Amino acid sequence: MTDHYAVVGNPVAHSASPAIHAEFARQTGQDLDYVRLLAPRDGFKSAVLKFRDEGGKGVNVTLPFKHEAWNLVTVHGGDAQYARAVNTIDFRDGGIIGYNTDGIGLVTDLERNLKFPIRNKRVLLMGAGGATYGVVHPILNARPELLVVANRTPGKAVAVVAHFQKFAKLAPRGMSAQPYQQLGGSQFDLVINATSAGLSGEMPALPPGVFAAGALAYEMVYGQHTPFMKFAAAQGARTADGLGMLVEQAAEAFFIWRGVRPDTAPVIAMLKREA
Ligand code: ATR
């Protein structure tokens, strides 16, 4: 019997998740289908519960509903508790179990696909919204030397650091919040853009000179050569967009639902060819 899954968002028409999961299912021989579900801005909960009541096995959640999903689920699995956002829901055994696989997706893309181990690296994370909350704990778990969070509205970066304070000791030199203008003179091995600036053709007010020799600039937005990527490349940094993270977070969701791990490399290659 075919099992049913969906990605719920608004908008959702652009989502690559159906193509990714269809490819995972083909590759692993799993009998499932996966569709896009457009929920009204004020109708997330009823759309998800209707999908479940009609036999759906699970959903992915995308913007703007990840925090609402965190409130909806009855159990927080994995990193979801700390992330304050849920991107994967499993309706197993009558429950509504929520996970956040974005952070694992990012770390897997960095470490396995891009061969960039986070351990002992100086990491700068830009942004203090939902995307940032989703990745802080997995980044700290990968044992960077230090983690700095910078944001246009500095108080929100301070709030991120306070929220994750109990994990700060995972980084030998700890975690701190700094406004962009105070970053001049600091150098980082990994700079991650978790802001939404790239979507509007902008970039955070990052001073020049923050990229250490051999640094990687990671843009969570995918499919665009954003101003941040251009800025970083002009300063000699290696750049990557968030396509690998997208596929890896999907693979983690697929594993939660189906118990099998798809091979992500051919799917990343397929999406790159289509981009
Ligand atoms: P998401 O869930 O994608 O993180 P969000 O919660 O709206 O979305 O957060 C967007 C983040 O991008 C915020 O950190 C925002 O900075 P502010 O907190 O100061 O609003 C950041 N951001 C968006 N546009 C930006 C820009 N042009 N320059 C710098 N930061 C920007």
Side-chain angles (χ1 to χ4, degrees):
M1 203 180 74
T2 305
D3 289 333
H4 306 299
Y5 296 88
V7 54
V8 188
N10 186 333
V12 76
H14 63 282
S15 173
S17 292
I20 295 171
H21 283 277
E23 191 52 29
F24 287 168
R26 193 196 57 75
Q27 200 190 82
T28 59
Q30 295 281 310
D31 187 8
L32 61 87
D33 61 24
Y34 186 112
V35 297
R36 295 184 181 91
L37 196 58
L38 177 69
R41 293 269 166 166
D42 59 354
F44 170 72
K45 182 177 175 182
S46 49
V48 168
L49 296 182
K50 181 165 179 279
F51 185 75
R52 179 197 62 175
D53 294 344
E54 288 171 358
K57 294 279 183 192
V59 293
N60 280 136
V61 181
T62 188
L63 297 179
F65 299 126
K66 290 184 185 183
H67 186 63
E68 213 176 315
W70 187 75
N71 283 317
L72 171 69
V73 301
T74 51
V75 180
H76 294 105
D79 274 322
Q81 183 64 44
Y82 309 111
R84 300 204 315 181
V86 154
N87 75 338
T88 302
I89 297 177
D90 189 359
F91 298 124
R92 189 180 304 254
D93 301 329
I96 310 178
I97 309 160
Y99 299 86
N100 189 310
T101 66
D102 287 331
I104 298 286
L106 170 67
V107 170
T108 305
D109 191 37
L110 285 166
E111 300 205 323
R112 206 169 59 205
N113 300 335
L114 299 168
K115 312 271 184 271
F116 193 91
I118 295 169
R119 182 175 285 271
N120 298 332
K121 297 293 197 306
R122 295 162 291 179
V123 181
L124 171 62
L125 179 59
M126 302 191 294
T132 291
Y133 277 87
V135 301
V136 168
H137 182 238
I139 290 173
L140 286 170
N141 241 345
R143 307 293 197 276
E145 183 178 316
L146 59 88
L147 176 62
V148 172
V149 181
N151 193 50
R152 180 174 60 184
T153 310
K156 285 166 70 179
V158 172
V160 170
V161 170
H163 181 76
F164 290 97
Q165 195 52 53
K166 70 173 165 183
F167 301 113
K169 59 181 178 301
L170 291 169
R173 289 174 57 201
M175 182 183 182
S176 62
Q178 281 177 29
Y180 290 116
Q181 60 272 26
Q182 274 176 27
L183 295 172
S186 300
Q187 288 215 314
F188 298 91
D189 306 298
L190 173 60
V191 181
I192 301 168
N193 189 9
T195 77
S196 52
L199 296 173
S200 40
E202 296 172 359
M203 70 166 275
L206 190 61
V210 296
F211 299 99
L216 174 64
Y218 194 99
E219 169 65 84
M220 278 200 204
V221 169
Y222 62 90
Q224 295 177 35
H225 198 54
T226 64
F228 166 64
M229 293 171 79
K230 290 177 190 156
F231 177 83
Q235 291 185 55
R238 182 182 162 203
T239 63
D241 78 355
L243 185 71
M245 175 178 172
L246 174 77
V247 176
E248 296 297 345
Q249 65 76 27
E252 201 62 30
F254 193 88
F255 179 70
I256 287 168
W257 291 327
R258 312 301 299 183
V260 284
R261 270 192 196 284
D263 183 5
T264 52
V267 182
I268 293 172
M270 175 189 88
L271 292 175
K272 273 190 182 153
R273 276 195 305 275
E274 288 170 4

